[in-house]
Amino acid sequence: MTKSRTVAFIYAHPDDETFGCSYLIRQIADEGNKPILFTATRGDAGKTGHLGAMTREELATKRDVELAKAVDILGISVMEQAGMGDGKLKEVAPAVLQQQIADFLRRHEADVVVTFPEDGISGHSDHIVIHHAVNEVVFGGQAPSVQKLYYNQMGSFASDISSVIWIEENGKWEVKRRALEVHESQILSIERVFGKLGPDVPPQHRVEAFELAWEHGVHFPKRVETSIFDHLK
Ligand SMILES: [Zn+2]
């Protein structure tokens, strides 16, 4: 590859990146490109797993440490958090959230963006708010360097009306498992989705799916793609 590309992952909480995108993020880094991460909140309203009661500030600090470890394991180059209210993104003025996202994408000259699909994967209201904010920023041309937008769908996702690229586990489960493990405070939701973490890849988590939502001004273009970097200018 001649030019190093920047792929921005725009999410709501620490751990969203690990749940849906570990294989893709690690692959981007391994190929010499730059995965970067923006999370709107510090996840301070979440559960604490087996760690017992914590104040919001204690949990925020704990989750900062967890995310820093995951960032390291996944090979993320840049990570920024907006520190907005966890569970309360609906209450943030849309223009304010969009401005933060647009600034992040512009500052790092992101080529490709990955975010939640319309249902937020889990239906979490913060995830859905992020989905719409990223759409507004990208579709509205607020981040002119962006050439493609993908929605991070569940691994088995397929569609007749859109292009989907699947990233195979291909030896990367170990990386994903370690990144999941460091999100220690979130172990209950991790086990609900992935089961008890061990050396074997859970069968339903052998691939991650990314739906091409927008490319160079075209919504849901039908493409045959081998990489998220195909067709970049
Ligand atoms: Zn989340």
Side-chain angles (χ1 to χ4, degrees):
M1 186 164 298
T2 49
K3 184 179 172 196
S4 173
R5 298 291 191 172
T6 298
V7 184
F9 292 81
I10 308 295
Y11 284 123
H13 313 111
D15 81 7
D16 294 333
E17 77 300 324
T18 299
F19 268 76
C21 298
S22 298
Y23 304 154
L24 177 61
I25 294 172
R26 190 65 249 182
Q27 181 173 308
I28 290 165
D30 287 345
E31 290 173 353
N33 293 294
K34 268 181 77 175
I36 65 174
L37 173 66
F38 172 96
T39 76
T41 82
R42 294 167 73 199
D44 53 301
K47 298 194 174 65
T48 63
H50 303 303
L51 301 175
M54 286 188 188
T55 65
R56 286 186 78 127
E57 190 49 41
E58 284 168 346
L59 179 57
T61 303
K62 167 71 177 155
R63 294 196 73 176
D64 287 351
V65 173
E66 293 174 349
L67 182 59
K69 289 180 186 168
V71 158
D72 198 42
I73 291 166
L74 297 175
I76 292 170
S77 306
V78 171
M79 185 269 289
E80 293 181 18
Q81 295 188 284
M84 293 172 166
D86 184 8
K88 296 185 171 172
L89 290 186
K90 270 192 303 201
E91 297 168 22
V92 175
V96 171
L97 179 58
Q98 288 167 30
Q99 185 69 50
Q100 295 255 7
I101 293 169
D103 283 350
F104 178 76
L105 297 175
R106 279 203 297 262
R107 221 168 336 108
H108 299 289
E109 296 182 13
D111 298 289
V112 178
V113 177
V114 179
T115 194
F116 293 110
E118 190 166 14
D119 64 3
I121 300 182
S122 63
H124 194 303
S125 69
D126 284 351
H127 295 187
I128 293 168
V129 169
I130 292 287
H131 165 84
H132 290 293
V134 172
N135 282 353
E136 290 294 322
V137 168
V138 172
F139 302 164
Q142 295 181 56
S145 62
V146 174
Q147 301 189 49
K148 282 176 155 187
L149 171 64
Y150 286 91
Y151 297 149
N152 179 195
Q153 298 282 4
M154 294 297 283
S156 57
F157 180 85
S159 168
D160 291 334
I161 58 149
S162 57
S163 306
V164 181
I165 191 160
W166 291 276
I167 306 297
E168 309 262 345
E169 177 269 329
N170 230 340
K172 292 189 283 293
W173 168 248
E174 169 67 12
V175 165
K176 184 159 185 155
R177 183 181 61 77
R178 284 196 292 127
L180 287 167
E181 276 173 357
V182 297
H183 286 294
E184 189 185 9
S185 64
Q186 304 309 301
I187 190 64
L188 300 179
S189 55
I190 290 167
E191 289 182 348
R192 195 164 60 237
V193 173
F194 295 93
K196 288 271 181 217
L197 299 177
D200 299 327
V201 193
Q204 70 277 31
H205 296 287
R206 288 188 200 285
V207 292
E208 295 171 347
F210 300 90
E211 179 183 25
L212 180 58
W214 181 95
E215 178 184 331
H216 298 125
V218 180
H219 294 266
F220 295 105
K222 281 297 272 178
R223 286 285 206 186
V224 176
E225 298 193 297
T226 56
S227 156
I228 63 164
F229 299 115
D230 287 355
H231 314 118
L232 291 185
K233 289 174 182 161

